[in-house]
């Protein structure tokens, strides 16, 4: 089963370039505390004069600027990227409000943000998912803790069958059964690697492969661009399982049926055939569901229609498994029957059916949420969510910086050097924490977070590309720049979260 779900310098002629606003007109609806509404310090002796710097504090001693420790930024809603596929939603969205506009009199600052186009920050180290087994094709393969439980169960069940077929093995039958469990999951890994190779061929990033309870998961971070590629990406997994089943059948012809190799090959042939048939069932999150989605997508021209159809078929399939699997086993379709049935067997069949049905039902529901999320992803645009900012020099008192922000209608502060090169961003939470009477005596540099390469965001980023950049460098604020390097404004992570919640609340 595949889950493919799921990288300045002011040149103004003004005599005081630091007072000229840099960035777009910010949204002022509910994007957090508005700098323009920050209370101004009352006039008093020693307040900032013409140069914007206080001479001394009333106490007679000027304290060092207050600098709070950086707070942990609120996390963006996650996919997961990463894992991202029908089973895991990735976070995104936009409220569609607060479109930035030009500065006063249509002018914009020409301060440069220092961002090199086409060089997004590095992706963080991928999260684990159990025991790392290797990196075929550069994709990490993890074995989840639940696999060991299933391996033990397979060893016990298959060992009981070996006792009836090969009683002479004695206790060694469990060693043979353990080998079968490992070989079976090696076949599942081949199934998942088929999805991975196809995804790499289509230039789709694969986050990881995880072997877990009831099979494996290939976490492909982006959707296929066409229904044809989606169909191929889904079909190669069951196809490889069918090929393996055929190879094991051919190998059986070269060995004696009643020997250990013969029994192992027969078990692997049957198990891979079951994996292929089960994954071809036409309901999400199974591979057959993704194939059905591709077909409906091709017919209707809308991937969302394909997802809805395949997800509801998946839910119907879950109900069928819950009810039908115990009935089929009870009727003798799987070698059972009323004459051999007992209470423990019935309980085991019912529990197995319930677990399978829950996995399919949950996966189908997650697929719907994932599709809805991706439908809203294009609404998430850095340019739309950016707050207007004003540049201020390092030693500027907070009260003077807020006065300039009030005058410009801005809601963010960018600390620059004497040449106008951005150095850091004043944290909104730090501003709120400074009492009004202290603001003339606190320099903005003491409330700022130094800029890193990952905190410089292109104004052209949108959707998943924007989320990838923000996840790579978690922060509370980001400097948004034009392709030319000019400062456009400041993007707040809190604004992105609010935009996501609003977008997801709207119907598809």
């Amino acid at each position: 089963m595949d889950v493919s779900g799921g990288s300045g310098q002011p040149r103004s002629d003004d005599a005081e370039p630091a007072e000229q606003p840099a960035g777009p007109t910010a949204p002022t609806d509910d994007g957090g505390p508005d700098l323009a509404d920050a209370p101004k310090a009352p006039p008093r002796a020693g307040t900032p004069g013409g140069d914007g710097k206080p001479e001394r504090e009333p106490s007679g001693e000027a304290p060092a600027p207050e600098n709070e420790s950086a707070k942990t930024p609120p996390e963006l809603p996650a996919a997961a990227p990463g894992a991202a596929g029908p089973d895991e939603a990735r976070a995104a969205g936009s409220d569609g409000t607060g479109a930035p506009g030009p500065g006063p009199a249509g002018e914009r600052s020409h301060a440069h943000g220092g961002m090199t186009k086409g060089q997004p920050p590095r992706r963080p180290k991928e999260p684990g998912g159990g025991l790392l087994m290797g990196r075929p094709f550069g994709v990490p393969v993890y074995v989840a803790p639940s696999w060991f439980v299933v391996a033990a169960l397979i060893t016990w069940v298959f060992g009981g069958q070996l006792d009836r077929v090969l009683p002479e093995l004695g206790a060694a039958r469990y060693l043979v059964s353990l080998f079968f469990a490992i070989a079976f999951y090696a076949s599942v890994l081949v199934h998942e690697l088929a999805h991975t190779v196809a995804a790499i061929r289509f230039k789709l990033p694969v986050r990881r492969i995880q072997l877990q309870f009831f099979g494996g998961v290939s976490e492909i971070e982006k959707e296929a661009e066409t229904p044809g590629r989606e169909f191929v990406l889904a079909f190669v997994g069951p196809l490889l399982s069918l090929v393996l089943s055929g190879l094991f059948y051919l190998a059986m012809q070269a060995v004696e049926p009643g020997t250990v190799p013969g029994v192992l090959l027969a078990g692997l042939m049957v198990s891979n055939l079951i994996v292929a048939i089960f994954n071809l069932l036409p309901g999400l999150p199974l591979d057959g569901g993704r194939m059905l989605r591709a077909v409906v997508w091709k017919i209707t021209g809308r991937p969302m229609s394909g997802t809805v159809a395949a997800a509801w078929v998946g839910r119907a399939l879950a109900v069928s498994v819950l009810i039908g699997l115990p009935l089929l086993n009870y009727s003798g379709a799987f070698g059972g029957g009323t004459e051999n049935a007992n209470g423990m067997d019935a309980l085991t069949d019912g529990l197995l059916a319930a677990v399978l049905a829950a996995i399919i039902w949950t996966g189908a529901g997650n697929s719907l949420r994932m599709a809805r999320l991706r439908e809203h992803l294009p609404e998430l645009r850095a340019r739309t969510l950016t707050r207007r900012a004003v540049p201020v020099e390092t030693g500027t008192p907070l009260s003077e910086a807020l006065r300039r922000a009030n005058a410009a209608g801005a809601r963010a502060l960018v600390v620059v050097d004497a040449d106008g090169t951005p150095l850091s961003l004043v944290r909104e939470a730090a501003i709120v924490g400074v009492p009004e009477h202290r603001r003339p005596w606190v320099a903005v540099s003491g409330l700022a977070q130094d800029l890193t390469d990952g905190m410089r965001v292109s104004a052209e980023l949108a959707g998943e590309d924007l989320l990838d950049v923000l996840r790579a460098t978690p922060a509370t604020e980001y400097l948004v720049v034009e392709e030319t390097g000019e400062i456009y404004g400041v993007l707040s992570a809190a604004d992105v979260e609010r935009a996501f919640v609003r977008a997801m609340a709207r119907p598809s």
Side-chain angles (χ1 to χ4, degrees):
M1 179 170 63
D2 171 51
V3 179
S4 59
S7 50
Q9 194 162 338
R11 289 182 281 196
S12 171
D13 294 330
D14 188 27
E16 296 182 15
E19 294 190 15
Q20 186 169 344
T25 302
T28 58
D29 47 338
D30 63 345
D34 194 338
L35 295 182
D37 296 332
K40 303 176 183 177
R44 65 172 72 183
T47 54
D51 59 356
K53 298 180 181 180
E55 297 178 3
R56 63 184 181 88
E57 196 173 10
S59 63
E61 296 182 7
E66 296 179 353
N67 187 0
E68 300 177 350
S69 59
K71 299 179 182 178
T72 302
E75 293 184 0
L76 296 175
D87 291 33
E88 294 185 29
R90 300 184 60 172
S94 168
D95 57 4
T97 61
E107 297 180 358
R108 298 183 59 84
S109 168
H110 295 280
H112 286 266
M115 176 180 177
T116 303
K117 182 182 176 182
Q119 293 183 358
R122 294 180 179 178
R123 294 177 60 85
K125 183 179 180 181
E126 71 276 350
L131 181 63
L132 178 63
M133 301 301 295
R135 294 177 180 271
F137 306 103
V139 178
V141 176
Y142 293 94
V143 175
S146 60
W147 177 86
F148 296 96
V149 178
V150 179
L153 180 62
I154 292 176
T155 301
W156 177 63
V157 173
F158 193 68
Q161 295 177 347
L162 283 177
D163 191 34
R164 292 192 292 269
V165 178
L166 299 171
E168 65 274 12
L169 288 178
R173 66 182 184 274
Y174 292 109
L175 184 60
V176 176
S177 299
L178 178 60
F179 179 82
F180 169 78
I182 295 174
F184 169 68
Y185 269 90
S187 301
V188 173
L189 177 59
V190 172
H191 175 110
E192 299 303 328
L193 285 175
H195 292 302
T196 297
V197 172
I200 294 174
R201 173 67 178 80
F202 295 145
K203 301 187 185 305
L204 300 176
V206 183
R207 183 168 176 253
R208 68 178 177 180
I209 296 174
Q210 187 183 54
L211 300 180
Q212 53 181 294
F213 193 71
F214 279 115
V217 175
S218 300
E219 296 183 3
I220 302 174
E221 295 188 346
K222 293 185 179 181
E223 283 189 337
E225 297 177 354
T226 65
R229 290 187 174 186
E230 174 78 358
F231 189 93
V232 171
L233 190 60
F235 180 62
V236 291
L239 177 61
L240 258 292
S241 293
L242 287 173
V243 170
L244 286 176
S245 181
L247 291 177
F248 287 128
Y249 173 77
L250 292 177
M252 284 174 53
Q253 310 309 310
V255 299
E256 292 293 331
T259 62
V260 171
V263 172
L264 285 176
L265 289 172
L268 290 173
M269 180 201 69
V270 173
S271 60
N272 276 276
L273 183 61
I274 292 175
V275 168
I277 294 174
F278 180 74
N279 275 278
L280 285 173
L281 294 176
L284 286 173
L286 303 175
D287 294 326
R290 295 183 57 205
M291 294 162 63
L292 174 62
R293 174 182 182 269
V295 172
V296 178
W297 177 4
K298 179 67 175 180
I299 295 173
T300 63
R302 297 186 67 246
M304 184 65 181
S305 299
T307 302
V308 171
W312 279 105
V313 172
R315 287 177 169 175
L317 180 63
V319 175
S320 300
V321 168
L322 179 63
I323 299 175
L325 187 60
L327 291 179
L328 287 173
N329 195 40
Y330 184 77
S331 65
F334 298 142
T338 55
E339 66 277 3
N340 297 323
N342 56 57
M344 182 58 67
D345 290 338
L347 180 62
T348 302
D349 295 340
L351 180 61
L352 177 62
V355 172
L356 282 174
I359 291 174
I360 297 173
W361 182 279
T362 302
N366 287 341
S367 299
L368 285 174
R369 285 187 289 272
M370 178 65 189
R372 184 181 177 190
L373 174 76
R374 280 181 167 158
E375 193 174 48
H376 288 302
L377 267 180
E379 303 173 13
L380 180 66
R381 298 180 179 276
R383 190 177 295 278
T384 301
L385 296 173
T386 296
R387 299 180 178 187
R388 183 175 182 172
V390 293
V392 291
E393 294 188 359
T394 303
T396 305
L398 179 58
S399 59
E400 170 63 13
L402 293 178
R403 183 192 67 77
R404 298 179 187 179
N406 292 339
R411 296 174 54 214
L413 301 172
V414 179
V415 179
V416 299
D417 61 14
D419 295 327
T421 303
L423 302 175
S424 56
L425 301 177
V426 179
R427 292 175 291 118
E428 183 180 56
I431 296 176
V432 176
V434 178
E436 181 181 349
H437 70 277
R438 291 277 299 156
R439 291 174 179 174
W441 319 107
V442 177
V444 291
S445 60
L447 307 175
Q449 181 177 2
D450 291 340
L451 280 171
T452 63
D453 290 339
M455 291 173 62
R456 289 178 170 88
V457 176
S458 170
E460 302 302 324
L461 288 177
E464 292 188 57
D465 293 336
L466 175 61
L467 289 178
D468 288 342
V469 171
L470 266 56
R471 287 195 190 96
T473 308
T476 54
E477 287 91 12
Y478 300 84
L479 180 68
V480 181
V481 298
E482 296 281 14
E483 292 186 357
T484 58
E486 300 174 55
I487 296 177
Y488 187 74
V490 172
L491 177 65
S492 170
D495 289 346
V496 177
E497 287 188 272
R498 279 188 287 268
F500 167 72
V501 172
R502 289 182 178 181
M504 291 302 293
R506 293 197 299 273
S508 300

